[in-house]
Amino acid sequence: MVQVEQIKHLVIADDDDDDQLLLQEVIKNYSDTIKITEICDGKKLMSFLSASQKEPSFSLLLLDLNMPYKNGAECLSEIKKNNKLAQLPIVILSTSRNIKDIEECYENGASLFFTKPCSFNSLKVLIHSILSIQWKKFKQLSKEQFMQIATQGFISLSEENVQSPFIYLQKK
């Protein structure tokens, strides 16, 4: 059995209470030892991040694009320009399928981009896959790989085929 790096603490930045609840349930299903911090808007996210003068206490950020006060793209750009936060893995989970949004997220340093799945089972498989990535070893994908994963249409994949976007990640 392969030893999987355990995420101890992650942040969910999403203004939708239902999405936060679903993500929390899926994460707790994966591991009940992961600490989850929920933040409901971009301005609060940036305040939370700037409050710490040292390395972040969490190891993964799940970031929604469409948030009030400061959107996820603006937050992503600011985070990646900050030396103490630049290496933080950031996975975009958005309702957007807009190619410009996906390209902007790649250019600003997002680790991965996924359109939020419509079914609970698809969300569960997606989040479990994201949590099983060895983030300490993760290298930025090429633009082609990033775009292919982001546009592959996670929702349209069958349950048995759902991990196919992670082929690039498993080779690293």
Side-chain angles (χ1 to χ4, degrees):
M1 183 176 205
V2 177
Q3 187 78 7
V4 176
E5 167 191 337
Q6 179 65 47
I7 293 173
K8 293 175 178 40
H9 182 192
L10 65 79
V11 172
I12 299 170
D14 195 318
D15 64 317
D16 187 301
D17 291 338
D18 292 335
D19 286 350
Q20 280 191 5
L21 209 63
L22 286 172
L23 287 167
Q24 188 174 55
E25 184 177 335
V26 168
I27 293 163
K28 291 298 180 188
N29 176 268
Y30 179 83
S31 171
D32 61 2
T33 62
I34 298 174
K35 179 182 175 186
I36 301 168
T37 300
E38 297 172 340
I39 300 175
C40 62
D41 68 59
K43 197 172 181 180
K44 288 181 181 170
L45 173 63
M46 297 315 295
S47 293
F48 170 80
L49 293 174
S50 65
S52 172
Q53 296 302 316
K54 48 187 177 174
E55 296 292 316
S57 63
F58 60 97
S59 53
L60 180 63
L61 172 59
L62 302 179
L63 179 62
D64 183 27
L65 286 184
N66 303 310
M67 294 189 298
Y69 307 115
K70 185 175 287 205
N71 70 40
E74 293 169 315
C75 293
L76 174 64
S77 179
E78 284 183 40
I79 291 166
K80 290 302 181 171
K81 289 176 184 172
N82 182 319
N83 288 336
K84 75 175 183 177
L85 301 172
Q87 298 305 313
L88 180 67
I90 301 175
V91 176
I92 306 298
L93 292 174
S94 179
T95 55
S96 176
R97 292 177 178 264
N98 186 311
I99 295 298
K100 288 181 182 178
D101 288 342
I102 297 168
E103 287 176 339
E104 180 181 10
C105 288
Y106 175 79
E107 298 301 328
N108 285 323
S111 303
L112 293 168
F113 185 110
F114 291 101
T115 301
K116 291 177 182 176
C118 292
S119 81
F120 182 78
N121 284 339
S122 293
L123 179 65
K124 184 176 172 181
V125 172
L126 174 63
I127 296 301
H128 286 204
S129 297
I130 290 168
L131 294 175
S132 68
I133 293 170
Q134 294 187 22
W135 288 104
K136 288 181 182 172
K137 296 180 180 178
F138 185 84
K139 303 279 190 258
Q140 181 67 36
L141 300 174
S142 71
K143 185 172 183 178
E144 178 186 359
Q145 292 168 332
F146 186 92
M147 296 301 293
Q148 184 175 359
I149 290 171
T151 60
Q152 191 136 30
F154 182 83
I155 300 168
S156 66
L157 296 174
S158 65
E159 290 297 326
E160 56 276 353
N161 204 17
V162 84
Q163 291 193 14
S164 65
F166 293 94
I167 290 170
Y168 294 118
L169 305 177
Q170 292 168 349
K171 291 180 181 177
K172 298 260 177 213

